[in-house]
Amino acid sequence: KAGVTQTPRYLIKTRGQQVTLSCSPISGHRSVSWYQQTPGQGLQFLFEYFSETQRNKGNFPGRFSGRQFSNSRSEMNVSTLELGDSALYLCASSRGGIGTSGRVFTDTQYFGPGTRLTVL
Amino acid sequence: GENVEQHPSTLSVQEGDSAVIKCTYSDSASNYFPWYKQELGKRPQLIIDIRSNVGEKKDQRIAVTLNKTAKHFSLHITETQPEDSAVYFCAEGGSYIPTFGRGTSLIVHP
């Protein structure tokens, strides 16, 4: 199977602009999660989408938004960029974490290569 | 999942030594504990995981142990090699997605 892909890989923007990042999950995976990674801050969870619905949300301002399409591909958007938004943005895909009996479990996440965003 | 604490933040060892990274969690419903390795400039990759129905799992030089009573789990790397140098993240999961620790930077000196 092809792995998780993200586009673009690198992006340079200026303050006040907006940006859209794209993530294509592994075929058959229905869950896509987004993370922001900055030096010393680990993996900060942004949000998770499952079957086109936002199922979980982290503690980020409303400038960060996302969506998921019927083919499970996901996009995240950051509006009114700030210098502090410079980071590596990672997406991860998984099957979705719902068992055949409806029981919830945490499924293995597979990460994409990330998009390096630099805000000047 | 809720909070997960990871220690140490930096670990420096000599080649051939063992390395141990510990994580503690607070959510008693947590039942999945993966470990990821992130080499410089690359994506995090799963190296080993354990579910709550077992106490230990090994894969060659790496092992993970889980103590559900104490709510902590650890990654053990034996006979470390320079290529083990990376940032390691623990995570715990009790819901749809895991909660990650802040990472441990492991440096293996040749």
Side-chain angles (χ1 to χ4, degrees):
Chain A
K1 280 184 178 179
V4 181
T5 59
Q6 292 186 245
T7 56
R9 294 293 311 279
Y10 301 92
L11 209 46
I12 298 176
K13 292 286 187 179
T14 56
R15 281 181 298 174
Q17 288 187 307
Q18 74 164 12
V19 66
T20 300
L21 312 181
S22 180
C23 173
S24 292
I26 292 171
S27 178
H29 285 193
R30 297 165 64 189
S31 168
V32 175
S33 299
W34 288 90
Y35 297 85
Q36 181 193 68
Q37 186 174 38
T38 54
Q41 293 299 314
L43 295 163
Q44 302 293 308
F45 171 69
L46 282 153
F47 29 66
E48 183 233 3
Y49 286 85
F50 178 80
S51 292
E52 302 179 66
T53 300
Q54 187 181 86
R55 190 166 62 172
N56 291 280
K57 188 177 187 305
N59 189 26
F60 275 80
R63 299 185 297 108
F64 293 82
S65 62
R67 59 177 174 170
Q68 187 179 33
F69 302 94
S70 59
N71 61 357
S72 293
R73 187 178 70 85
S74 176
E75 290 181 346
M76 69 162 281
N77 184 78
V78 187
S79 62
T80 320
L81 284 166
E82 301 177 358
L83 295 178
D85 296 333
S86 294
L88 178 67
Y89 290 87
L90 292 158
C91 77
S93 81
S94 74
R95 288 177 297 175
I98 298 178
T100 53
S101 62
R103 182 177 63 89
V104 173
F105 65 95
T106 310
D107 207 350
T108 301
Q109 291 199 300
Y110 298 90
F111 284 88
T115 294
R116 174 75 61 184
L117 173 64
T118 302
V119 182
L120 303 176
Chain B
E2 295 178 5
N3 293 327
V4 55
E5 294 190 4
Q6 183 172 348
H7 298 281
S9 57
T10 305
L11 180 58
S12 183
V13 301
Q14 288 295 128
E15 182 177 1
D17 288 349
S18 294
V20 180
I21 303 170
K22 298 180 179 179
C23 288
T24 60
Y25 61 97
S26 58
D27 188 352
S28 57
S30 297
N31 53 37
Y32 176 59
F33 306 91
W35 286 88
Y36 287 80
K37 174 184 180 182
Q38 186 176 28
E39 296 178 77
L40 189 63
K42 296 188 177 181
R43 72 188 78 187
Q45 293 203 304
L46 180 74
I47 55 172
I48 194 168
D49 59 7
I50 192 171
R51 296 219 177 247
S52 59
N53 55 343
V54 297
E56 183 176 6
K57 185 177 179 180
K58 289 184 180 180
D59 183 3
Q60 299 183 350
R61 295 187 297 108
I62 61 174
V64 56
T65 59
L66 171 65
N67 184 326
K68 286 211 74 178
T69 302
K71 294 183 183 174
H72 65 73
F73 56 110
S74 301
L75 177 71
H76 304 254
I77 306 174
T78 58
E79 301 172 26
T80 54
Q81 301 167 3
E83 51 264 39
D84 294 330
S85 296
V87 177
Y88 292 80
F89 292 96
C90 68
E92 58 88 14
S95 183
Y96 298 113
I97 55 173
T99 300
F100 285 86
R102 294 173 70 92
T104 295
S105 178
L106 173 64
I107 304 166
V108 181
H109 299 280

